Amino acid sequence: MAGLAESGSNPDVELLYDINGLAKGAPRWFDRGMEYVGEYGLVLALILLVVWCWWSVRRRGAEDAASSVAALVWAPLAAAVAVLVNVPIRGFVERPRPFNDHQGLEVLVTGKTDYSFVSDHATIAMALAVGLFVANRKFGLVGIGIALLEGFCRVYMGVHYPTDVVGGFALGTAVALLLSPLAMALLTPVMSAIERSPRVGWLVSARGRSRVGGQDALIPGARKETAGAEERDLAA
């Protein structure tokens, strides 16, 4: 794989120079912003998007809240699994960072000494986005857009080839989708049990009542309107 990067006529290298070349003509403040966004900001935005989706799901309290929250829990877990899978891939391919083999690149982040293929940032971003898509398509589409922007930033910053990013997207998507049925089978019963709990049920659903043992159980703090009405009838 490293040999592919050595040819100047390689479309991968040409696209690298085209995208990274934009950084040379951009103002310094813009490059600094892209550095922060590409290194931390977009991944943080995806995490906040998952939290926002969770808040929306639990507040709505629909019948499928447990499965939706299970899918949201799977999103960061999928990202973690994908990064672990990437460890042996990087060690096997051993592709150097593009700035080690090519001159004239505008490298916005220094100190990168590990291998280039596959991009961890692209892997994490797409795994989070696809996991989010499994839970909610609207939020998921926004997440996929953010993940694509993350991939562009990594090439713009001069720390990855385009194929490093594409490989990260493929790895993140594969882990999030292929392991999703198993993850949902394991996580959904757990989320259902949490939803029925009078103490931590609010983590899954904000409904005033939860079904426990086939009967309505009040979540602490909920008002017992029916009992109050019966007491007023007896007093009359």
Side-chain angles (χ1 to χ4, degrees):
M1 196 73 170
L4 294 176
E6 295 174 358
S7 172
S9 62
N10 188 329
D12 193 24
V13 177
E14 292 178 356
L15 188 57
L16 165 67
Y17 275 105
D18 288 341
I19 296 176
N20 180 255
L22 299 174
K24 294 184 177 181
R28 179 57 183 164
W29 61 265
F30 184 82
D31 283 349
R32 290 296 299 272
M34 289 291 283
E35 174 186 341
Y36 175 80
V37 167
E39 194 73 7
Y40 310 106
L42 292 176
V43 172
L44 178 60
L46 281 167
I47 294 173
L48 293 176
L49 192 63
V50 171
V51 174
W52 183 11
C53 186
W54 162 76
W55 183 262
S56 176
V57 167
R58 67 164 293 276
R59 187 174 62 177
R60 188 172 67 247
E63 293 297 327
D64 62 344
S67 59
S68 296
V69 173
L72 291 171
V73 172
W74 168 236
L77 291 177
V81 171
V83 170
L84 290 176
V85 172
N86 190 27
V87 172
I89 294 177
R90 280 193 168 197
F92 176 76
V93 178
E94 295 185 347
R95 187 184 201 182
R97 295 277 183 170
F99 51 77
N100 290 325
D101 289 336
H102 302 283
Q103 302 298 320
L105 292 174
E106 186 75 11
V107 183
L108 302 186
V109 179
T110 59
K112 300 286 185 181
T113 58
D114 54 345
Y115 293 120
S116 186
F117 187 90
V118 180
S119 168
D120 277 338
H121 281 75
T123 300
I124 292 171
M126 191 55 74
L128 282 170
V130 173
L132 187 57
F133 185 82
V134 172
N136 185 291
R137 291 189 177 183
K138 182 190 300 184
F139 281 90
L141 288 175
V142 175
I144 290 173
I146 294 175
L148 293 175
L149 181 57
E150 173 68 29
F152 175 84
C153 286
R154 302 307 291 176
V155 181
Y156 181 95
M157 294 159 62
V159 295
H160 281 294
Y161 295 97
T163 48
D164 298 337
V165 170
V166 173
F169 288 163
L171 178 59
T173 300
V175 170
L177 288 182
L178 294 180
L179 297 182
S180 178
L182 176 61
M184 293 298 291
L186 295 174
L187 292 172
T188 300
V190 175
M191 295 302 111
S192 296
I194 292 176
E195 183 181 17
R196 293 192 297 269
S197 171
R199 293 182 179 274
V200 293
W202 61 271
L203 289 171
V204 176
S205 175
R207 290 179 299 176
R209 293 174 181 270
S210 62
R211 303 292 296 180
V212 180
Q215 297 180 349
D216 287 337
L218 288 175
I219 292 177
R223 296 179 59 186
K224 300 177 65 176
E225 299 291 348
T226 303
E230 291 176 354
E231 291 175 359
R232 287 195 298 269
D233 290 341
L234 289 175

